[in-house]
């Protein structure tokens, strides 16, 4: 009887917590990403359509990396701009519930090939700085959602700057899986689902058409919402 009472209390507590959770449509979402998120009808746009255009700040930028400066373009280095992203989220939404981080394809460019080994460490630095930002302000840590890079086509398909990016993004995705498990973050594994099928919706092996971005957005919802 005692065990039954305990289980009933536990069930009631879980139901109360579920009832207090903020619906996805109303969650304050900050997106940190690259061109696939910045595109006019990219995956972020499609995600907004799926959730009914709730509060969202999209800092995704074409060419954005986790931690590399591309030809002097510091604005494309998330480690250099993270604080401004987080501050913008608070300024525009009054708070942040979720941070969706979808980066890595540009870090895997051929020009950075001698530094690809630094990418996982840069990711850890990014996540640690994010945690520190909120801890130093005495604020609750938002929910972190990590997104693997979408599959990249073979070298024969992509432009010269992305040669070798397929293998690099596969390795990075393995690191993202480990990181998500260790830190307890939700993972959207685009490498696994939709996997290479998404490349049918791409002309250059890197970017996607509107249907492709819709597929990616739906996987975000399935995986983490």
């Amino acid at each position: 009887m005692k065990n039954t009472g305990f289980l009933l209390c536990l069930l009631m507590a879980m139901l109360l917590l579920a009832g207090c959770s903020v619906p996805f449509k109303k969650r304050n979402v900050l997106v940190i990403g690259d061109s696939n998120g910045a595109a006019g009808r990219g995956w972020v746009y499609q995600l907004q359509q799926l959730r009914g255009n709730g509060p969202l700040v999209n800092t995704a930028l074409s060419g954005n990396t986790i931690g590399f400066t591309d030809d002097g373009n510091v604005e494309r280095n998330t480690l250099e701009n993270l604080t401004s992203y987080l501050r913008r989220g608070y300024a525009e939404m009054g708070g942040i519930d979720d941070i969706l981080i979808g980066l890595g394809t540009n870090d895997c460019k051929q020009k950075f090939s001698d530094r690809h080994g630094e990418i996982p460490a840069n990711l850890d630095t990014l996540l640690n700085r994010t945690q520190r930002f909120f801890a130093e302000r005495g604020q609750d840590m938002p929910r972190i959602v990590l997104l693997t890079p979408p599959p990249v086509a073979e070298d024969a398909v992509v432009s010269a700057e992305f040669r070798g990016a397929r293998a690099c993004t596969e390795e990075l995705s393995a690191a993202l899986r480990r990181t998500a498990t260790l830190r307890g973050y939700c993972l959207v594994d685009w490498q696994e689902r939709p996997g290479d099928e998404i490349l049918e919706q791409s002309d250059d092996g890197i970017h996607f058409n509107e249907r492709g971005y819709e597929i990616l957005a739906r996987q975000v919802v399935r995986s983490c919402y």
Side-chain angles (χ1 to χ4, degrees):
M1 291 295 292
K2 289 184 178 179
N3 288 337
T4 302
F6 172 79
L7 290 173
L8 286 173
C9 290
L10 180 60
L11 178 60
M12 288 298 294
M14 292 174 65
L15 289 172
L16 286 171
L17 286 172
C20 293
S21 63
V22 180
F24 185 30
K25 180 179 179 179
K26 296 183 178 180
R27 296 182 72 82
N28 295 332
V29 177
L30 175 68
V31 176
I32 301 174
D34 52 28
S35 57
N36 283 321
R41 291 183 177 268
W43 71 263
V44 177
Y45 171 87
Q46 302 299 334
L47 184 67
Q48 282 294 80
Q49 299 306 298
L50 292 173
R51 78 181 194 121
N53 291 308
L56 181 142
V57 170
N58 184 12
T59 68
L61 176 70
S62 179
N64 204 13
T65 69
I66 296 170
F68 296 146
T69 297
D70 188 351
D71 295 331
N73 294 317
V74 178
E75 68 272 13
R76 296 179 180 175
N77 184 334
T78 297
L79 285 179
E80 297 291 339
N81 297 281
L82 177 63
T83 299
S84 65
Y85 293 162
L86 299 175
R87 286 177 175 170
R88 179 183 164 191
Y90 263 95
E92 296 189 19
M93 296 185 293
I96 304 172
D97 296 312
D98 297 350
I99 303 176
L100 276 59
I101 303 174
L103 295 166
T105 300
N106 292 304
D107 298 77
C108 286
K109 284 180 176 177
Q110 196 277 332
K111 67 173 66 178
F112 301 127
S113 59
D114 60 339
R115 301 182 64 190
H116 285 172
E118 300 174 24
I119 300 175
N122 287 341
L123 174 65
D124 282 338
T125 300
L126 174 64
L127 298 173
N128 290 339
R129 287 184 184 177
T130 301
Q131 290 180 318
R132 188 161 61 246
F133 176 91
F134 295 98
E136 290 175 348
R137 291 159 176 79
Q139 298 168 344
D140 291 338
M141 180 69 187
R143 182 171 182 252
I144 299 294
V145 176
L146 297 179
L147 297 81
T148 71
V152 172
E154 300 288 351
D155 287 353
V157 176
V158 300
S159 62
E161 68 176 339
F162 284 103
R163 286 175 186 164
R166 180 175 176 86
C168 176
T169 54
E170 288 174 351
E171 292 178 7
L172 172 57
S173 296
L176 282 162
R177 293 181 193 111
R178 292 192 294 270
T179 298
T181 298
L182 288 171
R183 292 178 179 256
Y185 296 159
C186 193
L187 177 72
V188 180
D189 196 340
W190 282 334
Q191 290 277 326
E192 291 292 329
R193 294 183 181 180
D196 281 350
E197 290 182 6
I198 195 65
L199 293 172
E200 296 174 5
Q201 312 297 328
S202 176
D203 291 329
D204 64 1
I206 299 292
H207 307 96
F208 306 93
N209 57 29
E210 188 169 351
R211 172 58 179 157
Y213 287 128
E214 180 185 351
I215 292 170
L216 293 177
R218 289 189 180 278
Q219 191 57 43
V220 173
V221 176
R222 291 191 190 99
S223 298
C224 294
Y225 296 99

